[in-house]
Amino acid sequence: GNSVTQMEGPVTLSEEAFLTINCTYTATGYPSLFWYVQYPGEGLQLLLKATKADDKGSNKGFEATYRKETTSFHLEKGSVQVSDSAVYFCALSDQAGTALIFGKGTTLSVSS
Amino acid sequence: EAGVAQSPRYKIIEKRQSVAFWCNPISGHATLYWYQQILGQGPKLLIQFQNNGVVDDSQLPKDRFSAERLKGVDSTLKIQPAKLEDSAVYLCASSLSDRGAYEQYFGPGTRLTVT
C-alpha cells in the first residue's frame, strides 16, 4: 500500500542555517505530495504541495521538488528562523483523491 | 472565511466510558475527514465522508467507533466504550472535493485522554 517515510527528528539548528528534511514515498501511479506544518499549539496547515513529477512547491521560503525517479519530496529552506520551529509532516494523496497518508513528522527546533 | 471548528478541545474520560466529538467543516466543503493522531505519529484516517455518504471507513474500529454526517454538514465521531489506546488527538478536516489535489483544511483537534 501507499506509505510515506520521513527523517526522524528532532532536528536542531541555529538561526540562518540551511534546512533539509528528507521524505520518500511508496505509491502506485502518480500521487500528489504535500508538506504540512504544525506550529506549537496550532492545527495542521498546508505548507506547500506538488501534483506531478518535477513540480516544485514553494511557500514562506520553503521548497520541495517532486522527484519521481527517486520517489522523494525533500523539504528545504535556505535560512531558517526561530519562528520556523514546528513539526513538519510529509503526506501523499493518490489520484483517486483518497485521504492523506502522513509520515511520522519531524520536529524542527531553531535557536537564536 | 471561518475555519474548521471542533469541540471539545480537551476531554478526559475513564476507560469503558463513551465520548463524542463534534466537527463543523468550512462552509461549502463537500468532503469531511476524521483522523486519529497518536503522540509521536502522523495523523491516520479513520473515516472519510463525501456529502453525507461514507467514502472510506476501512480503518475505523467499527466495534467501538461510529461516525455520522447528517445533512452533509456537521459530523460527530463517537467512541463507546473507550480503551486506553484511544488516547490521541482527533482531527477533523474538510476539502471542497475528494477529486484532485484539493487542500484539506484541519481543525484544531480534540485531545482525548483515557485513564
Side-chain angles (χ1 to χ4, degrees), chain A residues 40-59:
Chain A
E42 299 184 17
L44 278 166
Q45 305 172 25
L46 179 66
L47 181 59
L48 52 85
K49 71 179 184 184
T51 59
K52 61 182 186 295
D54 299 325
D55 265 3
K56 178 185 284 188
S58 61
N59 186 25

Side-chain angles (χ1 to χ4, degrees), chain A residues 34-84:
Chain A
F34 306 82
W35 277 100
Y36 276 80
V37 59
Q38 190 169 36
Y39 297 104
E42 299 184 17
L44 278 166
Q45 305 172 25
L46 179 66
L47 181 59
L48 52 85
K49 71 179 184 184
T51 59
K52 61 182 186 295
D54 299 325
D55 265 3
K56 178 185 284 188
S58 61
N59 186 25
K60 299 182 181 179
F62 291 88
E63 294 183 339
T65 302
Y66 188 164
R67 302 286 188 199
K68 186 161 179 62
E69 63 276 14
T70 54
T71 62
S72 65
F73 193 55
H74 305 321
L75 182 68
E76 296 182 337
K77 187 175 185 182
S79 176
V80 294
Q81 306 299 313
V82 173
S83 57
D84 294 327

Side-chain angles (χ1 to χ4, degrees), chain A residues 36 46 49 89 96-97 100 103, chain B residues 35 37 42 98-99 101 103-104:
Chain A
Y36 276 80
L46 179 66
K49 71 179 184 184
F89 292 92
L100 293 166
Chain B
Y35 291 87
Q37 185 177 14
D98 64 344
R99 295 297 162 193
E103 179 178 351
Q104 291 186 26

